[in-house]
Amino acid sequence: MEELSKEEKKAIDALKRVAKKWPKSLWLFSGSGSLCVLKKAGGNNRAINETGGVCQEHVVATINIENDGGDWYG
């Protein structure tokens, strides 16, 4: 793998700074290639509906950073 550019390193450092400040009342969900920010439900629980899916009513922002929510390939 080639070395990271200065811009790439700055982006990673920015995410690490955000992680340190991230409120426990919010969580991230990777859906359809976008990062969705959701407000946790009562009791500080992730907002999951009756069928086990994410309650889309709890989405407060969508951030267009390319991502994938799948597991690592073997």
Side-chain angles (χ1 to χ4, degrees), residues 5-24:
S5 69
K6 191 174 188 177
E7 180 182 353
E8 291 168 332
K9 290 176 184 178
K10 282 184 177 183
I12 291 168
D13 289 342
L15 280 174
K16 288 179 179 181
R17 285 192 302 277
V18 167
K20 288 179 183 178
K21 301 176 189 178
W22 194 259
K24 296 196 183 302

Side-chain angles (χ1 to χ4, degrees), residues 24-74:
K24 296 196 183 302
S25 60
L26 299 176
W27 63 291
L28 296 174
F29 175 79
S30 175
S32 300
S34 292
L35 285 177
C36 299
V37 181
L38 292 94
K39 177 97 171 141
K40 287 186 178 176
N44 228 13
N45 297 311
R46 293 181 180 174
I48 305 296
N49 64 27
E50 308 81 41
T51 62
V54 172
C55 286
Q56 293 185 20
E57 306 85 46
H58 288 259
V59 174
V60 295
T62 302
I63 302 168
N64 191 20
I65 297 177
E66 186 176 356
N67 67 88
D68 186 336
D71 288 336
W72 295 101
Y73 294 88

